[in-house]
Amino acid sequence: MTSAHPFDIATELQPDGADRFIGETSSDYANMVGPFGGITAAVLIRAIEKHPDRLGEPVSLTVNFASPIADGPFAVCTQLVRTNRSNQHWIITLQQGDAVTTSATAVFAIRRPSWTATEASAPDAPPADTLARQEFPDFITWTRNYDMRFAEGGPSTIAAGTPAGSAATVWVRDLPARPLDHPALTALTDIFFPRIMMRLGKFVPAGTTSLTVHYHASATQLTEHGSGYVLATARANHFGHGYFDQTTRLWGLGGTLLATSSQMVYYKEPPSP
Amino acid sequence: MTSAHPFDIATELQPDGADRFIGETSSDYANMVGPFGGITAAVLIRAIEKHPDRLGEPVSLTVNFASPIADGPFAVCTQLVRTNRSNQHWIITLQQGDAVTTSATAVFAIRRPSWTATEASAPDAPPADTLARQEFPDFITWTRNYDMRFAEGGPSTIAAGTPAGSAATVWVRDLPARPLDHPALTALTDIFFPRIMMRLGKFVPAGTTSLTVHYHASATQLTEHGSGYVLATARANHFGHGYFDQTTRLWGLGGTLLATSSQMVYYKEPPSP
């Protein structure tokens, strides 16, 4: 008998009437406060995938983290706003009791073959097996479920107290390895620690407020990718007035761009004197 | 007597009970089908700004264009999901009759001074007054309300039938000139024509499906910017399976990054033979 992957346990949902699913936080994906944001975003995509009226595959997802999710059960409520011939628009909320902890929108669509081109360039990085697996502090529990091998910009800059640029490049996959799908890809867009900590070379209170994922890979492409490493890059454009942005690109085998994302992250750090 | 600016007329909203505003499409901002997406996004930001319970300034906005907006009146319905100590989460829909044409989420926050840095670099461009104002075909009505001066990647590549890269750099401001505010900045993130047309050097059926704006400038910074030109850049990362992404950066005076955006755009172009 094979036991379920921690990711599948953490994103498991039971239908509870029309447009409502029940899930439960998993201690495997705990962050410092509440669950890892990436697993919450993955749960929302999984809810739509499980919906009987769902059409196609994810095109875009925006998740707004309104308040911490407490350990325990939660409800995912879905509202199908509109179904067009080839795409579909959803509003999603994650609720605990009467409180909406997370609001989101998603666009799904039938992804047909079309003219194809990639303008962005995949970064250069040494092969994953030539890099050491990054270790993280025990209290960031969710990192145990990822095999991350940094080619650039790992968390050692924080530990060393060395201010640096915000760019990072990392090979990453689920641990244990697991075939890539859209929920898992969604979670991977949120694996990067807040860029402000790299910039300042120290711990800074920070948390993602809004995450947007744009999906480039079809389900077929993810199946072809399998359980291999994804090459992920992150950087920031601007820090100011208590928020910075953090953009990522996720690359698959053969330089296939799987997804891009951008998030706005709250941080608390006074102006330079 | 000074007559109102076309932008202010097009984004005018009247309260219609709690959490509902009534507006009307403006022929000045008509696109080929329905209004210019940027003006619709601006209307949604304006609705929250006018809401009596609104806290702070925009941090992020995601707009999903579910179906065309018909000429005539519309309702903007707002739902305040949560107010925290310094930020606020909204779900917004634009409705005509029983149909939701547009769904959106927004995060607003009190933007306090903090540690500040910009990593992205503003592009080089000749001064705006050394470049010619771009003319557009009459049927793209909304372009009449913008003074655009392309330093790179203008629409002439389409007219010439010349395939090109997707990058563009343009000086842009409202026409007539108008002091910049968050609704106007929102609209500016959507002024770029679909990148697929530059890539292929021809007209291709295309339309924005989902637009996310991340706001870096505070209201005070926008007031300081005044009615001068914004330097805007756009590019695409990937085209495939009927959707491509299109990212923008909007720069103000002195290299201030005002906003960044990313959108997913539907297009119809068969695979290369």
Side-chain angles (χ1 to χ4, degrees):
Chain A
M1 184 182 144
T2 311
S3 57
H5 192 285
F7 185 87
D8 293 300
I9 295 170
T11 58
E12 195 178 351
L13 292 170
Q14 300 299 333
D16 180 41
D19 295 315
R20 191 178 153 95
F21 299 86
I22 301 295
E24 185 162 356
T25 59
S26 162
S27 58
D28 286 335
Y29 286 85
N31 203 350
M32 283 177 282
V33 180
F36 166 48
I39 204 75
T40 302
V43 162
L44 302 179
I45 285 293
R46 177 145 284 177
I48 303 304
E49 288 186 341
K50 286 178 78 87
H51 198 290
D53 297 337
R54 183 255 308 175
L55 180 79
E57 306 174 19
V59 169
S60 67
L61 170 73
T62 292
V63 185
N64 299 302
F65 298 93
S67 64
I69 298 169
D71 291 345
F74 55 77
V76 177
C77 302
T78 61
Q79 180 193 345
L80 177 50
V81 172
R82 188 179 175 94
T83 299
N84 293 310
R85 201 167 43 182
S86 73
N87 71 29
Q88 205 173 43
H89 293 253
W90 297 87
I91 294 173
I92 317 164
T93 55
L94 195 151
Q95 305 187 11
Q96 288 187 311
D98 292 338
V100 174
T101 65
T102 319
S103 63
T105 63
V107 177
F108 274 58
I110 299 170
R111 304 297 295 264
R112 294 195 183 86
S114 68
W115 182 82
T116 298
T118 302
E119 279 198 35
S121 301
D124 290 325
D129 60 11
T130 66
L131 298 167
R133 187 184 155 214
Q134 179 69 44
E135 295 190 14
F136 289 88
D138 275 350
F139 62 90
I140 317 176
T141 311
W142 66 267
T143 56
R144 295 178 204 164
N145 304 296
Y146 290 100
D147 175 351
M148 298 193 220
R149 292 158 189 265
F150 282 87
E152 174 194 19
S156 56
T157 53
I158 303 172
T162 315
S166 77
T169 304
V170 62
W171 292 103
V172 58
R173 64 177 176 185
D174 289 295
L175 187 70
R178 176 185 176 279
L180 195 58
D181 55 15
H182 283 112
L185 182 66
T186 302
L188 289 182
T189 67
D190 196 37
I191 57 155
F192 290 97
F193 54 92
R195 303 293 87 189
I196 186 81
M197 300 191 196
M198 290 183 67
R199 283 302 304 254
L200 297 176
K202 66 175 186 180
F203 179 83
V204 177
T208 302
T209 302
S210 185
L211 165 68
T212 291
V213 182
H214 289 161
Y215 300 88
H216 300 292
S218 66
T220 305
Q221 288 175 300
L222 296 183
T223 300
E224 287 165 5
H225 180 88
S227 58
Y229 286 99
V230 168
L231 186 56
T233 65
R235 63 163 298 177
N237 289 302
H238 180 77
F239 306 77
H241 292 93
Y243 288 85
F244 66 88
D245 66 338
Q246 183 160 319
T247 64
T248 75
R249 292 176 180 169
L250 270 58
W251 299 90
L253 298 175
T256 302
L257 187 59
L258 305 175
T260 48
S261 78
S262 182
Q263 56 180 259
M264 284 294 267
V265 184
Y266 165 80
Y267 67 99
K268 195 168 179 181
E269 175 72 12
S272 300
Chain B
M1 185 182 140
T2 311
S3 57
H5 192 284
F7 184 87
D8 294 299
I9 295 170
T11 57
E12 194 178 352
L13 293 170
Q14 300 298 333
D16 181 40
D19 295 314
R20 192 179 151 96
F21 299 86
I22 300 296
E24 186 164 356
T25 59
S26 163
S27 57
D28 286 334
Y29 286 84
N31 203 350
M32 282 177 283
V33 178
F36 165 48
I39 203 78
T40 301
V43 162
L44 302 180
I45 285 293
R46 177 145 286 176
I48 303 304
E49 289 186 341
K50 286 178 76 88
H51 198 291
D53 297 335
R54 184 255 307 175
L55 180 79
E57 305 176 19
V59 168
S60 68
L61 171 73
T62 291
V63 185
N64 299 302
F65 299 93
S67 64
I69 298 168
D71 293 345
F74 55 78
V76 178
C77 301
T78 62
Q79 179 194 344
L80 176 52
V81 172
R82 187 178 175 96
T83 299
N84 293 311
R85 201 167 43 182
S86 73
N87 71 29
Q88 206 173 44
H89 293 254
W90 297 87
I91 294 174
I92 318 163
T93 55
L94 195 150
Q95 306 188 11
Q96 289 187 309
D98 292 336
V100 173
T101 65
T102 318
S103 63
T105 63
V107 177
F108 274 59
I110 298 171
R111 304 297 296 264
R112 294 194 181 88
S114 69
W115 182 81
T116 298
T118 303
E119 278 198 36
S121 301
D124 289 325
D129 59 10
T130 65
L131 298 167
R133 186 183 156 213
Q134 180 69 43
E135 295 191 14
F136 289 88
D138 275 351
F139 61 88
I140 316 176
T141 310
W142 65 268
T143 57
R144 293 178 204 163
N145 304 297
Y146 291 100
D147 176 351
M148 296 193 222
R149 293 160 188 263
F150 282 87
E152 174 194 19
S156 56
T157 53
I158 304 173
T162 314
S166 77
T169 303
V170 62
W171 292 103
V172 57
R173 63 177 177 184
D174 289 294
L175 187 70
R178 176 185 175 280
L180 194 58
D181 55 16
H182 284 113
L185 182 67
T186 303
L188 289 182
T189 67
D190 196 38
I191 57 155
F192 290 97
F193 55 92
R195 304 291 88 190
I196 186 79
M197 301 192 195
M198 288 182 69
R199 283 301 304 254
L200 297 175
K202 65 176 186 180
F203 178 82
V204 177
T208 302
T209 301
S210 185
L211 165 68
T212 291
V213 182
H214 289 163
Y215 299 89
H216 300 292
S218 66
T220 304
Q221 287 175 301
L222 296 182
T223 301
E224 286 166 5
H225 180 89
S227 57
Y229 286 98
V230 168
L231 185 58
T233 64
R235 64 162 298 178
N237 289 303
H238 180 76
F239 307 77
H241 293 93
Y243 289 84
F244 67 87
D245 67 337
Q246 183 161 318
T247 63
T248 74
R249 292 176 181 170
L250 271 58
W251 299 90
L253 298 175
T256 302
L257 187 59
L258 304 175
T260 48
S261 78
S262 181
Q263 56 180 258
M264 283 294 266
V265 184
Y266 165 80
Y267 67 100
K268 196 171 180 178
E269 176 72 11
S272 302

